[in-house]
Amino acid sequence: MSDDWHFDTQAIHAGAAPDPATGARQVPIYQTTAYQFKDADHAARLFNLQEVGYIYSRLTNPTVQALQTRLAALEGGAGAVACSSGHAAQIMALFPLMGPGRNLIASTRLYGGTVTQFSQTIRRFGWSAKFVDLDDLDALREAIDDDTRAIFCESISNPGGYVTDLPAVAEVADAAGIPLIVDNTLATPVLCRPLEMGATLVVHSLTKYLTGNGTVMGGAVIDSGKFDWSASDKFPSLSAEEPAYHGLKFHETFGPAAFTFHSIAIGLRDLGMTLNPQAAHYTLMGTETLGLRMQRHVENAVKVAEWLEADPRVTEVSYAGLKSSPYNDRAQRLYPRGAGAIFNFKVKGGYEACVKLIGALKLFSHVANLGDTRSLAIHSASTTHRQLTPEQLEAAGAPLDAVRLSIGIENVEDIIADLDQALSTATA
Ligand SMILES: *Cc1c(COP(=O)(O)O)cnc(C)c1O
C-alpha cells in the first residue's frame, strides 16, 4: 500500500493487503469474537495498551480494521474508528470531548435525527447543544462560551440544498481552541475532504453512499491527528491521566493517534457501539466503487434538477448545483466536483400535491434512506424530520411543501420519465 496512490486506487487497496495467513485477495470476514494470546505476558501487554493487537471484537477486529484504515486514507486522516451506525458515530465523536455542563454549537441545517439527538437525548448526559445559522459567523463566535467543546455541521446538508463554508467555520473553531466536527455523509470524501479545510474530526453514516446500496448500517469517526488536545485543560479525557489505564495520558502517549486510541480503548470498550465484521465487509465492497458512483450520482442529479427547474408544474428546486441557488458560488468554490445528489423541490399544489406525487412514483422508492444506487423520494416534513417544530423544519431546509429526492445511478432518462408521469398525476 502506498500513501502516494490517488483516491480511486486507495478506495480499492487501502487497508486490504492479501491475507497473511491464506493469501486471500479480498478482505476476509473475520467472524470471531476473540483472538488467542501468545502467552500471559502478551495478554498483559495488550490489556495495558503497551502493544497493539487483537483482544476481543467489541474493541477491534481485522475486517473492521481494514475498513478503518481505508476510511482514514480516503479522508486523509491519522486514524478512524468504525461504529454501529451514523448516530453512534456522532456520540463516539463527542464522547471524548464533552462532559456534564459542556455544550457544542451545532448548525441549524442538519439531518433530522441529529437535531433530535442534539436537542433532546444528549441532555441525559448533561451535555447541550446551541443551534446557530453558520452563515452568520458573528453569531457563531458569540455563541461559543467557556463550556463549548466543539462545533458540529454537515459539509453538504440534508436536505435543504445548503453547503457549508467549512474553511470559514474552521477558522472560528481554531480561534476558540475547539475542534470542528463535520458530518461528511452526503458529500463523501469524493466531493469534500473536510480535514483539508481545517476540520479536526469527520463523522460518517456508512449506511449511505459509503456502502452505497442500502444493505447495512454503519458509522465512522475519522481524526485528523492534528488537534493539540493538551493546549488547554478543556479536554481532560485526552490530556489528563486516565485512571482506568493506571494514569496513562492518551495525548502524551499516542500523539496523533490519541483520539482513535481513546475511541477504541474507552469509547468502544464502555459504550459498545461496535461495527460487526459482516457490515464492515459490505462497506469495504461499497468503497471500491465510491468514486465512480459519486460521479454518476452528481451527473444525474444536475440533469434532473435542471429538468425540474424548467418544468411549469414545479415551483422551486433547492440544489446548490443549480446556477439559481444562492449557494452555487460557494459550491463551485469549495465543492468543485459537485454539490451532491440530494435536493428538495416544491410542486404546484403544495402539501396535497407532494403526497400525490410520492404515491404516483414508480421507479423511485418511497423510503427513509438516501445515498442508494436506487433513486429515492420522501416527504421529509412528515417522516425523517417529523420530530421537528415548524420553525426547525424551515431552518433545517425541510419545509412542509417540499419533496426530497436522492438521485440514483440509473439511466437518467428513466429517472426523468418517472418524475414526469408522477408530476402529471400530482397536478392533474
Ligand atoms: C443517515 C444520516 C445520519 C445517521 O446515520 P445512521 O447510519 O442512520 O445512524 C447522520 N447524518 C446524516 C447526514 C445522515 O444522512
Side-chain angles (χ1 to χ4, degrees):
M1 195 183 113
S2 161
D3 286 341
D4 297 338
W5 281 335
H6 293 87
F7 186 92
D8 288 330
T9 310
Q10 299 275 22
I12 294 167
H13 292 280
D19 179 50
T22 61
R25 189 60 196 90
Q26 190 47 280
V27 179
I29 303 173
Y30 286 88
Q31 199 65 56
T32 183
T33 48
Y35 308 83
Q36 173 139 297
F37 304 121
K38 289 174 205 149
D39 52 41
D41 184 50
H42 177 227
R45 292 179 61 77
L46 290 176
F47 275 96
N48 279 343
L49 302 183
Q50 289 161 323
E51 185 177 329
V52 176
Y54 298 104
I55 299 176
Y56 187 60
S57 284
R58 175 159 23 87
L59 307 172
T60 43
N61 169 285
T63 314
V64 176
Q65 181 56 49
L67 175 62
Q68 290 171 162
T69 304
R70 183 165 303 172
L71 294 173
L74 296 185
E75 287 287 2
V81 60
C83 32
S84 52
S85 71
H87 265 13
Q90 293 173 185
I91 296 296
M92 288 284 290
L94 292 172
F95 179 64
L97 315 178
M98 303 286 282
R102 308 303 183 204
N103 67 68
L104 71 139
I105 312 288
S107 167
T108 46
R109 298 177 183 89
L110 294 174
Y111 176 71
T114 306
V115 176
T116 311
Q117 187 185 53
F118 287 177
S119 60
Q120 312 290 334
T121 304
I122 62 169
R123 291 197 206 177
R124 307 281 186 96
F125 308 143
W127 311 348
S128 62
K130 300 188 214 177
F131 292 89
V132 174
D133 177 349
L134 294 189
D135 279 348
D136 187 345
L137 295 175
D138 288 332
L140 172 61
R141 282 185 206 98
E142 269 166 43
I144 297 170
D145 63 33
D146 289 345
D147 287 320
T148 304
R149 292 294 178 269
I151 300 173
F152 187 101
C153 67
E154 295 172 6
S155 43
I156 293 177
S157 96
N158 169 4
Y162 176 81
V163 292
T164 305
D165 189 344
L166 289 183
V169 175
E171 212 178 296
V172 177
D174 271 353
I178 54 175
L180 169 63
I181 307 172
V182 176
D183 181 342
N184 203 30
T185 300
L186 266 63
T188 80
V190 176
L191 306 181
C192 175
R193 304 235 296 176
L195 302 182
E196 289 170 0
M197 297 191 194
T200 294
L201 300 169
V202 167
V203 297
H204 272 287
S205 168
L206 303 176
T207 316
K208 313 292 171 49
Y209 291 113
L210 271 290
T211 305
N213 39 29
T215 46
V216 293
M217 305 295 301
V221 186
I222 298 108
D223 174 33
S224 71
K226 291 185 183 144
F227 194 88
D228 185 356
W229 305 110
S230 307
S232 72
D233 57 6
K234 285 185 174 168
F235 304 103
S237 295
L238 295 159
S239 64
E241 293 185 355
E242 171 56 50
Y245 285 105
H246 311 295
L248 170 142
K249 296 179 179 171
F250 276 89
H251 191 211
E252 187 183 280
T253 308
F254 300 112
F259 189 94
T260 303
F261 266 85
H262 187 278
S263 293
I264 293 167
I266 310 269
L268 289 182
R269 187 196 65 186
D270 295 344
L271 301 177
M273 300 168 170
T274 308
L275 187 72
N276 68 78
Q278 289 269 356
H281 177 76
Y282 279 102
T283 306
L284 280 164
M285 297 303 98
T287 55
E288 293 189 357
T289 56
L290 183 66
L292 279 174
R293 283 187 289 111
M294 289 314 292
Q295 196 181 341
R296 174 68 87 87
H297 276 295
V298 168
E299 270 172 31
N300 281 359
V302 170
K303 286 182 192 157
V304 174
E306 285 174 349
W307 181 84
L308 284 170
E309 192 173 44
D311 193 291
R313 296 165 296 183
V314 171
T315 54
E316 193 182 317
V317 184
S318 307
Y319 178 45
L322 286 175
K323 295 262 179 297
S324 59
S325 164
Y327 295 105
N328 189 250
D329 285 348
R330 185 183 290 173
Q332 292 202 15
R333 180 166 54 90
L334 297 175
Y335 304 84
R337 303 183 73 179
I342 290 155
F343 60 84
N344 274 350
F345 74 105
K346 291 186 180 179
V347 189
K348 220 173 240 176
Y351 183 91
E352 296 295 318
C354 285
V355 173
K356 270 195 208 153
L357 179 110
I358 298 249
L361 288 166
K362 294 190 176 108
L363 174 63
F364 277 80
S365 308
H366 179 203
V367 297
N369 192 20
L370 53 87
D372 195 320
T373 51
R374 273 152 280 274
S375 289
L376 315 173
I378 201 162
H379 179 230
S380 305
S382 64
T383 53
T384 53
H385 288 63
R386 192 177 184 88
Q387 270 76 25
L388 274 57
T389 62
E391 298 76 45
Q392 283 177 320
L393 284 174
E394 280 294 335
L400 281 166
D401 55 347
V403 172
R404 184 190 79 197
L405 301 181
S406 171
I407 301 298
I409 59 175
E410 301 100 334
N411 184 297
V412 74
E413 288 176 24
D414 296 331
I415 299 175
I416 289 175
D418 194 36
L419 287 166
D420 192 18
Q421 64 81 21
L423 276 167
S424 294
T425 306
T427 57

